[in-house]
Each structure stands twice: as C-alpha cells, then as structure tokens.
Amino acid sequence: KEILEKEEIDITKLPAKNILQNELNSEKRKFDNIGPINFKAEDEANQTNKKIEKMVNEKLDIEKAVLKLRETITKINKEGRQKLINSFDGINQSFKKLFTEFFDGGNAFLKIIGSSDPLNSGLEVFGMPPGKKMGKLSLLSGGEKTMTATALILAVFLQNPSPVCVLDEVDAPLDDINIEKFCKILKKINKDVLTKFIIITHNSISMAHMDRLYGITMAEKGISKLISVKLEEAQKLREVS
C-alpha cells in the first residue's frame, strides 16, 4: 500500500487480482514451453552464419566460373566456325583440282548441308566425271567413287600436310590406267610438299612407281625377314649386268 501511495497509483484502476493471476499463469506457461535454455545458441548461430557466408561465396565463385566457361565456349565456337569455313574453302578448291586430274576433266565440289552452323552440319560430295551429269558420290560407279574419295582424302591432307602419309590398299579397286594417274598425282604432291608417301599395295604398277620397296619374305619356314629394295639402284645393277 505504501508503495502504491508513493508511486501515486490509483488502486481502484488496477485489474482484479484473479485477472492478474491468470495473466501471470499464462506467461509462466509460455516460458515453460520455451524449454531449456541453450547457452551455446549464440556461438552455434555465429558458426552457422559463417557456413552460410562461405556457401554464398562459393556459389558466387561457381556462377563466375560458369559465366567464364560459357564465354570461353562461345569464343572457341566462333574461332572454330571461322577456321572450319577457311579450311573447307581450301579443301574444296584442292578437291576440285585433284578430281579433274584424276578424271582428265569433269567437275566436283563439296557442300555443307543440314545446318547453317558449320559446327553442326554435314558434308555432301558431288562429282561429275566427263560425259556424266553432276551427282552425289553415291551415284558414281565403284572406280569413280574410289578416285573421288581418294581426291577428297588428298585434298584434306594438302590442307595441312604432314611429313608422312600412309595409304593402305587405296589403289585396289582401280584399273591400270587409273593406277597410273594415281601414282603420278602422288609424285606431284610429293614434289610440291615434300611428303613421304608409304603405300601398302599388292599392285605391280604401283610398286614400279615407288622409290623403295619393303616386303616380308620367308626364306626359312617359320622365320619372317624384312627386305628392302631401292628401285633406282636395282635398275642400275640390272643395266650393268
């Protein structure tokens, strides 16, 4: 009472005792429902915040890496398209020239098909031997397909020549006249780009055009031996004898 009078509180304006008790009991229940107090909660919260911050930074780094990768892919695709177009033009020109040399005339060309994007497109080969209409490679005869395909292979090779080129039984489907053409073209390429051609063949005409022959002989049963013959030297020995 003294406290109430000192603080000048009008007791008649205070809630009834039972109301205050109910409110007090309600607040106690709320407090009890909170459960035991975790005195480490602040430290755990700080650690969790640090982990979240680290994950956010890692996410930002990954997003930057993905963006950089996409930019790099776009740049590579752009350069790849340009290089492919340039290479295609060079190969196409060489292919046309070699085709006319193989067939003593005619015409041929390469065409990009299937997509406007060179990186996703296909390639169609068209050839027109003398006396025939222009058509796809599939419409040519067996020998014509072989010479056309050989012209294409050599055209691709000439775009970026290497010191050595291996051709395995390429001359097998050709007749004698076309084998002569094939060998003469190889000699011309050899002279122009200084490439050494290794020809795997069973054809005597092809062998006669080579500088050196390598073969396997079995002088004794079960024992193979590699032999090498330089045709120029063999010819001189033959003339001397």
Side-chain angles (χ1 to χ4, degrees), residues 130-167:
K132 290 192 174 184
K133 294 182 179 181
M134 182 66 73
K136 297 180 180 179
L137 178 64
S138 59
L139 300 178
L140 300 178
S141 65
E144 291 170 343
K145 286 180 181 178
T146 299
M147 290 194 293
T148 303
T150 304
L152 178 56
I153 291 171
L154 293 175
V156 173
F157 173 79
L158 287 174
Q159 187 65 23
N160 186 23
S162 62
V164 178
C165 179
V166 180
L167 299 174

Side-chain angles (χ1 to χ4, degrees), residues 37-75:
I37 298 175
N38 183 3
F39 295 100
K40 296 182 179 180
E42 185 177 358
D43 292 337
E44 291 176 354
N46 292 333
Q47 291 178 6
T48 302
N49 288 333
K50 289 180 179 179
K51 290 180 179 179
I52 294 174
E53 183 179 357
K54 182 180 178 182
M55 293 173 67
V56 170
N57 292 332
E58 290 176 348
K59 178 177 177 289
L60 293 175
D61 291 340
I62 292 174
E63 290 176 346
K64 290 179 181 179
V66 170
L67 180 61
K68 183 68 175 178
L69 182 59
R70 287 176 177 171
E71 291 175 352
T72 302
I73 292 174
T74 301
K75 181 179 179 181

Side-chain angles (χ1 to χ4, degrees), residues 56-118:
V56 170
N57 292 332
E58 290 176 348
K59 178 177 177 289
L60 293 175
D61 291 340
I62 292 174
E63 290 176 346
K64 290 179 181 179
V66 170
L67 180 61
K68 183 68 175 178
L69 182 59
R70 287 176 177 171
E71 291 175 352
T72 302
I73 292 174
T74 301
K75 181 179 179 181
I76 291 174
N77 286 342
K78 183 179 179 181
E79 293 177 354
R81 289 186 185 93
Q82 189 59 49
K83 289 182 178 180
L84 182 59
I85 292 172
N86 294 339
S87 296
F88 173 80
D89 291 339
I91 292 171
N92 198 17
Q93 293 302 318
S94 296
F95 173 62
K96 291 179 180 180
K97 182 179 179 181
L98 288 169
F99 184 91
T100 57
E101 291 180 5
F102 270 112
F103 288 93
D104 293 326
N107 192 16
F109 64 90
L110 305 174
K111 183 179 180 181
I112 295 177
I113 61 171
S115 174
S116 58
D117 185 356

Side-chain angles (χ1 to χ4, degrees), residues 169-175 179 201:
E169 299 286 0
V170 174
D171 56 353
L174 302 178
D175 57 24
I179 289 177
T201 181

